[in-house]
Amino acid sequence: QVQLVESGGRLVQVGGSLRLSCAASGRTFSTYAMGWFRQAPGKEREFVAVITWSGGNTYYADSVKGRFTISKDNAKNTVYLQMNSLKPEDTAVYYCAAARMSYGSSLYTRTDHYAYWGQGTQVTVSS
């Protein structure tokens, strides 16, 4: 089993920045990549970004490309999501997730390719 705990979500103004963290524990060696997803009220959960533990390959949703950066600290088993130039439409609960298999980049956008999920952290962007 792998446990994921997100932190860092809060209320922030439009144009501001925020860094989310996801701490992984347990059998983290069984995971191949870590992703960030988000879910706004009344909407489906959507992919944000993913990073592989080995090699640090990344892939982003078009909606966040150029504004968000995913990174990792293997020694701490922690993944980060640096969010800049935040917009009201970025308001959502942000979840981190762990994938146990290697996929092509675009396939990491699928929620069913992730075996473990955190409880989420709320990000609210206020104008």
Side-chain angles (χ1 to χ4, degrees):
Q1 288 291 330
V2 175
Q3 294 77 42
L4 304 175
V5 179
E6 304 96 333
S7 62
R10 62 176 175 85
L11 175 66
V12 63
Q13 291 191 334
V14 169
S17 297
L18 204 57
R19 189 178 82 157
L20 305 182
S21 300
C22 174
S25 61
R27 299 172 62 88
T28 56
F29 57 85
S30 67
T31 61
Y32 189 84
M34 297 290 292
W36 284 98
F37 287 75
R38 65 187 182 186
Q39 188 166 19
K43 295 188 177 182
E44 293 187 354
R45 193 168 298 190
E46 65 171 0
F47 169 79
V48 175
V50 65
I51 188 167
T52 59
W53 282 118
S54 177
N57 298 314
T58 60
Y59 184 74
Y60 296 90
D62 287 343
S63 59
V64 306
K65 203 172 293 183
R67 299 188 299 123
F68 290 11
T69 302
I70 189 170
S71 62
K72 62 183 178 67
D73 185 330
N74 289 53
K76 295 182 179 180
N77 287 331
T78 299
V79 175
Y80 305 97
L81 185 68
Q82 177 67 42
M83 306 186 293
N84 299 328
S85 302
L86 283 162
K87 305 174 181 180
E89 50 264 44
D90 294 319
T91 295
V93 177
Y94 283 71
Y95 298 89
C96 70
R100 290 189 298 187
M101 295 180 64
S102 173
Y103 300 101
S105 295
S106 63
L107 293 179
Y108 279 116
T109 61
R110 292 175 50 168
T111 57
D112 61 342
H113 282 175
Y114 293 82
Y116 306 103
W117 291 84
Q119 81 291 347
T121 186
Q122 176 70 48
V123 172
T124 303
V125 183
S126 172
S127 56

